[in-house]
Amino acid sequence: MEPAVESGIVGAQASKQAKEGSKNRSRRRWRKGKVKASAFSHSMDLRTMTQSLVTLAEDNMAFFSSQGPGETARRLSSVFAGVREQALGLEPTLGHLLGVAHHFDLDTETPANGYRSLVHTARCCLAHLLHKSRYVASNRRSIFFRASHNLAELEAYLAALTQLRALAYYAQRLLATNRPGVLFFEGDEGLTADFLQEYVTLHKGCFYGRCLGFQFTPAIRPFLQTLSIGLVSFGEHYKRNETGLSVTASSLFTGGRFAIDPELRGAEFERIIQNLDVHFWKAFWNITEIEVLSSLANMASTTVRVSRLLSLPPEAFEMPLTSDPKLTVTISPPLAHTGPGPVLARLISYDLREGQDSKMLNSLVKSEGPRLELRPRPQQAPRSRALVVHIHGGGFVAQTSKSHEPYLKNWAQELGVPIISIDYSLAPEAPFPRALEECFFAYCWAVKHCDLLGSTGERICLAGDSAGGNLCITVSLRAAAYGVRVPDGIMAAYPVTTLQPSASPSRLLSLMDPLLPLSVLSKCVSAYSGTETEDHSDSDQKALGMMGLVQRDTSLFLRDLRLGASSWLNSFLELSGRKPQKTSLPTPEAVRPTESMRRSVSEAALAQPEGLLGTDTLKTLTMKDLSFKGNSETSDTPEMSMSMETLGPSTPSDVNFFLRPENFHEEGEAKDDVGTMDRAPRVRAAFPEGFHPRRSSQGILHMPLYSSPIVKNPFMSPLLAPDSMLKTLPPVHIVACALDPMLDDSVMFARRLRDLGQPVTLNVVEDLPHGFLSLAALCRETRQATELCVQRIRLVLTPPAAPLS
């Protein structure tokens, strides 16, 4: 090739590269400018932001109104008029909420609660509209201005702003109804149902399309978009395979039309969360455990020497009482619902430690198929002084220790201690109290056999996330009830502490949360409490009359009897007959493995010393009855066991998840069949005249509006536990998310413990979704939040300093 020609080619390539580099730099500057504009918007006070947005909206509205009769120009003018109207209507309400939000904080160092979160979310939406309005004002005359694209984004965020305004009015209603400092709705059960009935009819699809994840840190949004595409694609595949059993990872990569059409994706997302049952969510949440995806996750995680799945035999054993180690109590294997069976748990250790390759432990190892085995080190590390017992999340219905193995491996390396993660049985096949029984059994087994796990057991921490955080707390309560060793501390990440369907300002965020939609939460709670409905496919069942409800509930009642006649149901059946008798502290003679049915959670609580239970009866305990001053009195006579008898008035309306209380007018009952959602609830007065939020077009939402009394059991909802039980807890360290619908659970639980003088810490991370532990490797923010959890665990595992002499 001639030098001149070659030189010309090289020059052309260099010119082309220079142009591409210039384009990339322009894109980076635009993105950087967008981030800076967003940061500037967030630094503005609410009134200034609103005024700036209104001014820009009016300017853009006037411009597009003068552009002739074109449809796009008309819609752009209309959308800016809507932005102006909604911003002006929303600003006073947000200002009011922000002005009183500090009354609901745990303390001045922890400014976090659902009111603050709702205001922050609305500010994010306003900030995005402000940035977009500035962009339109600066570029509307350019020939490169994409009118249709900007119109679609503006319309999506206007819809989101409208729905957020509705949520702000709901929050005002909560503020007016609740006592100072109380975050959960305190109206009577009928009013609560009216509130939820109104709330669940709101349109949600706008939050799952173009606006998906706008409230979270930008690094999270691409993941959420990929997740939403996978979800709707998975949903289509699931519909074609009714059981969902043949769904594979390939179903996650067939959603091209959902990827390019955000509005279609949002509508389909809303349809799925409202209409598909808990079995769909179980299948979808377990998709990470298929071989391909789990192998990829393990490749990206820390390499450990030990990761073995153990099968703990269902054999009773003795545990010493902390009050007198010479006495023991029998820990029986779990029996509820499905009878005796082994409990699975995964042992994870960064180093191979003494005892971890013992003959006895090897006999408990359960095969998981072909796995990469690493060569053991020539010598074993000594036993660690500490042990972490981990309980995974998943809404009580999904996931195992394998789903959480990547971050647990990192924990094992950073903490330098072995971790045993419990694989409890999942609802709806194994409802409450099966999971609690298995976790308690595995915890006691780990304490007794810590030498096999590579630990001396001097310090033990219970750690869990979400549903696992709930189980960590209730396992500790049960250990105290049995009189055995409680852990030295608890680390609970974004735990759920009450399963009652009570509204709170943070739970309002479930309207837009892609990971915790309200209807999905309700399905999980129904499954765990054993009140899941069997089938909604028949349209005739959507409008059951009173007799239909009775027939259905009778069949469910008989089904539960066949599944094992769990103790709380037995207690309910005995209500009209006799009261339970006092029971003394359990002894080995009183609790034997040959008994026909294992003691229930209720009986374990009944068997506490009288001073522990006291008069903190749960007979009519609700959020309204909780005292946050820790002033409960005790007497010499315990009231009742924590069975169905103590969980609420034994009226049919309490047992049935759908029936209204008896004190409601009959004409109200006639209008309140399961399928009826068109009645005007009393809470609609919360909206000012002329304001109409968007309503869902996805049909009736199958969500129970009344809770079963079982969810008031303190072993299911520890926030409702009496003071005497909460005083038995070890130090509790809670790590919550500011934008999590479960935030108020953490704040109120921490307040109860603080008021009782119990050691508790609450750390709230910003701009991250529920479940950030499973996203630990995703971005800097999730890594920092995960490190905070590790620090809290390390605090538990560090022995307290000896007092100076």
Side-chain angles (χ1 to χ4, degrees):
M1 182 178 295
E2 292 294 331
V5 176
E6 184 176 355
S7 176
I9 294 175
V10 172
Q13 291 176 342
S15 176
K16 182 178 180 181
Q17 291 174 356
K19 289 180 180 178
E20 291 178 351
S22 177
K23 289 181 180 179
N24 291 333
R25 285 192 296 271
S26 297
R27 292 191 191 101
R28 286 195 296 268
R29 282 196 299 269
W30 182 84
R31 290 175 186 144
K32 190 174 182 180
K34 183 176 180 179
V35 172
K36 286 184 177 179
S38 178
F40 175 74
S41 299
H42 283 286
S43 67
M44 301 168 63
D45 67 83
L46 185 62
R47 177 159 296 180
T48 302
M49 180 187 296
T50 303
Q51 290 174 347
S52 300
L53 178 59
V54 169
T55 301
L56 284 166
E58 290 174 344
D59 179 59
N60 285 319
M61 183 171 56
F63 174 83
F64 289 109
S65 297
S66 64
Q67 296 303 300
E71 176 66 16
T72 301
R74 185 193 63 78
R75 289 173 60 187
L76 281 166
S77 178
S78 176
V79 77
F80 279 112
V83 168
R84 178 186 181 279
E85 176 188 354
Q86 300 304 330
L88 288 173
L90 182 58
E91 189 267 331
T93 307
L94 294 182
H96 175 61
L97 295 177
L98 196 57
V100 299
H102 64 279
H103 295 297
F104 300 87
D105 296 332
L106 175 64
D107 50 43
T108 55
E109 288 75 29
T110 317
N113 60 69
Y115 292 113
R116 291 185 184 273
S117 301
L118 187 57
V119 172
H120 173 79
T121 303
R123 280 178 58 93
C124 289
C125 189
L126 288 169
H128 186 92
L129 282 168
L130 179 58
H131 170 71
K132 179 57 66 175
S133 298
R134 284 175 176 157
Y135 174 82
V136 171
S138 301
N139 297 273
R140 62 198 180 193
R141 297 180 185 277
S142 171
I143 61 173
F144 299 107
F145 179 68
R146 296 188 297 165
S148 298
H149 170 79
N150 287 282
L151 172 62
E153 188 169 353
L154 284 165
E155 287 180 334
Y157 274 89
L158 173 59
L161 189 66
T162 304
Q163 302 306 87
L164 283 167
R165 185 180 172 189
L167 296 186
Y169 288 135
Y170 285 140
Q172 271 194 324
R173 178 59 185 264
L174 293 175
L175 197 61
T177 304
N178 297 346
R179 288 181 291 115
V182 179
L183 288 167
F184 286 94
F185 192 74
E186 292 189 314
D188 59 57
E189 190 174 4
L191 190 60
T192 300
D194 276 342
F195 188 96
L196 292 175
Q197 187 181 60
E198 168 72 10
Y199 170 72
V200 299
T201 63
L202 291 177
H203 169 70
K204 310 163 191 65
C206 61
F207 293 111
Y208 305 132
R210 295 178 190 272
C211 303
L212 181 69
F214 72 92
Q215 68 271 41
F216 300 124
T217 183
I220 294 289
R221 295 171 196 169
F223 163 77
L224 293 177
Q225 290 173 355
T226 303
L227 179 71
S228 66
I229 294 170
L231 175 68
V232 295
S233 302
F234 189 93
E236 280 203 324
H237 193 94
Y238 186 87
K239 285 188 296 182
R240 292 193 295 268
N241 301 268
E242 293 181 2
T243 63
L245 297 178
S246 61
V247 176
T248 63
S250 63
S251 63
L252 296 179
F253 305 103
T254 58
R257 61 195 180 96
F258 297 117
I260 63 176
D261 190 339
E263 281 71 32
L264 177 64
R265 182 172 72 240
E268 181 66 8
F269 199 111
E270 182 178 8
R271 186 199 66 79
I272 286 174
I273 64 174
Q274 291 205 176
N275 296 305
L276 294 188
D277 58 17
V278 71
H279 300 284
F280 165 79
W281 295 99
K282 178 192 286 282
F284 181 71
W285 287 338
N286 285 337
I287 198 71
T288 57
E289 299 195 6
I290 65 174
E291 195 63 34
V292 174
L293 296 183
S294 64
S295 298
L296 290 174
N298 283 323
M299 288 172 60
S301 61
T302 301
T303 300
V304 297
R305 292 288 170 177
V306 178
S307 180
R308 317 175 79 182
L309 187 63
L310 308 179
S311 178
L312 310 183
E315 300 170 358
F317 54 88
E318 303 295 318
M319 287 281 288
L321 298 177
T322 54
S323 58
D324 186 354
K326 295 180 182 179
L327 300 178
T328 61
V329 61
T330 301
I331 306 300
S332 301
L335 282 178
H337 297 294
T338 55
V343 179
L344 301 182
R346 184 178 301 277
L347 175 62
I348 298 174
S349 180
Y350 182 70
D351 295 306
L352 179 64
R353 297 184 178 274
E354 293 179 16
Q356 292 178 345
D357 63 347
S358 64
K359 184 176 181 181
M360 181 176 179
L361 191 72
N362 288 333
S363 66
L364 302 178
V365 174
K366 181 179 176 63
S367 174
E368 295 185 88
R371 287 176 67 94
L372 178 62
E373 295 292 339
L374 300 175
R375 290 186 297 114
R377 293 183 176 179
Q379 68 274 359
Q380 299 177 358
R383 288 186 174 91
S384 169
R385 298 176 61 185
L387 176 69
V388 174
V389 180
H390 173 262
I391 306 177
H392 68 81
F396 303 103
V397 302
Q399 301 192 337
T400 66
S401 62
K402 192 174 182 180
S403 311
H404 297 249
E405 189 177 11
Y407 73 78
L408 290 178
K409 289 180 176 180
N410 295 335
W411 285 10
Q413 179 186 23
E414 295 182 38
L415 295 168
V417 302
I419 299 173
I420 183 167
S421 182
I422 304 169
D423 282 343
Y424 53 90
S425 296
L426 302 171
E429 294 78 10
F432 177 86
R434 182 71 187 199
L436 176 60
E437 290 182 357
E438 293 186 354
C439 290
F440 176 69
F441 180 81
Y443 164 77
C444 292
W445 188 95
V447 172
K448 184 177 180 65
H449 300 93
C450 58
D451 57 320
L452 298 178
L453 305 176
S455 173
T456 61
E458 295 176 42
R459 304 286 296 180
I460 296 179
C461 177
L462 262 176
D465 70 308
S466 191
N470 173 288
L471 289 168
C472 285
I473 297 169
T474 54
V475 164
S476 297
L477 291 174
R478 193 164 192 202
Y482 266 75
V484 299
R485 175 182 177 178
V486 298
D488 296 286
I490 298 171
M491 194 292 293
Y494 38 87
V496 52
T497 61
T498 175
L499 299 184
Q500 286 199 117
S502 300
S504 83
S506 75
R507 291 191 178 188
L508 294 178
L509 297 176
S510 63
L511 186 80
M512 69 194 74
D513 196 292
L515 300 177
L516 282 183
L518 177 65
S519 57
V520 178
L521 288 174
S522 174
K523 292 179 175 74
C524 292
V525 171
S526 297
Y528 185 51
S529 61
T531 52
E532 182 203 19
T533 53
E534 293 290 341
D535 184 22
H536 294 301
S537 59
D538 187 356
S539 59
D540 292 335
Q541 296 297 315
K542 296 179 181 178
L544 286 174
M546 185 62 67
M547 290 306 298
L549 286 169
V550 172
Q551 292 173 358
R552 183 202 58 201
D553 290 331
T554 302
S555 67
L556 292 175
F557 176 79
L558 296 174
R559 180 201 65 178
D560 284 339
L561 280 178
R562 292 195 304 271
L563 288 176
S566 56
S567 59
W568 61 268
L569 188 55
N570 282 333
S571 300
F572 164 69
L573 290 173
E574 295 169 359
L575 282 182
S576 59
R578 53 185 173 81
K579 305 289 184 183
Q581 303 298 320
K582 292 184 183 178
T583 305
S584 60
L585 188 70
T587 62
E589 290 76 14
V591 188
R592 287 298 176 192
T594 55
E595 65 195 30
S596 59
M597 180 58 68
R598 196 203 142 280
R599 297 189 319 158
S600 69
V601 173
S602 306
E603 293 168 322
L606 178 64
Q608 301 176 70
E610 293 183 6
L612 180 61
L613 185 57
T615 58
D616 288 319
T617 176
L618 300 179
K619 186 170 184 179
T620 59
L621 185 59
T622 64
M623 287 294 173
K624 189 173 183 178
D625 301 315
L626 287 176
S627 169
F628 297 97
K629 302 300 182 183
N631 57 352
S632 64
E633 300 177 357
T634 57
S635 66
D636 295 332
T637 307
E639 290 287 332
M640 299 181 181
S641 71
M642 292 170 192
S643 62
M644 287 292 290
E645 186 166 356
T646 69
L647 299 178
S650 56
T651 62
S653 62
D654 285 320
V655 177
N656 191 324
F657 231 48
F658 293 90
L659 296 181
R660 300 182 62 80
E662 290 180 348
N663 60 351
F664 269 70
H665 299 296
E666 291 183 2
E667 59 267 26
E669 292 183 358
K671 297 179 182 179
D672 231 354
D673 288 342
V674 180
T676 304
M677 282 280 191
D678 56 354
R679 185 174 58 86
R682 287 172 285 174
V683 295
R684 286 200 181 178
F687 295 154
E689 185 177 356
F691 173 70
H692 303 287
R694 296 181 62 183
R695 297 294 172 181
S696 175
S697 60
Q698 297 299 324
I700 297 168
L701 172 60
H702 297 288
M703 192 188 81
L705 299 180
Y706 292 98
S707 63
S708 166
I710 191 63
V711 301
K712 298 179 184 177
N713 190 311
F715 291 102
M716 182 181 281
S717 296
L719 180 59
L720 300 181
D723 294 349
S724 56
M725 288 182 68
L726 294 182
K727 287 179 179 179
T728 67
L729 286 175
V732 178
H733 303 281
I734 302 174
V735 180
C737 306
L739 300 179
D740 181 7
M742 298 292 106
L743 171 64
D744 290 337
D745 289 56
S746 296
V747 174
M748 292 302 289
F749 191 67
R751 291 186 66 179
R752 282 212 67 194
L753 294 178
R754 178 74 59 84
D755 290 340
L756 291 172
Q758 289 292 104
V760 59
T761 66
L762 173 64
N763 295 91
V764 181
V765 299
E766 302 290 336
D767 302 330
L768 291 181
H770 185 95
F772 65 76
L773 281 176
S774 297
L775 310 175
L778 190 62
C779 62
R780 175 177 53 86
E781 291 85 353
T782 53
R783 287 192 294 270
Q784 291 175 344
T786 302
E787 177 57 30
L788 180 59
C789 295
V790 173
Q791 292 174 6
R792 299 295 94 183
I793 296 174
R794 188 178 286 115
L795 190 63
V796 173
L797 300 182
T798 303
L804 297 175
S805 57

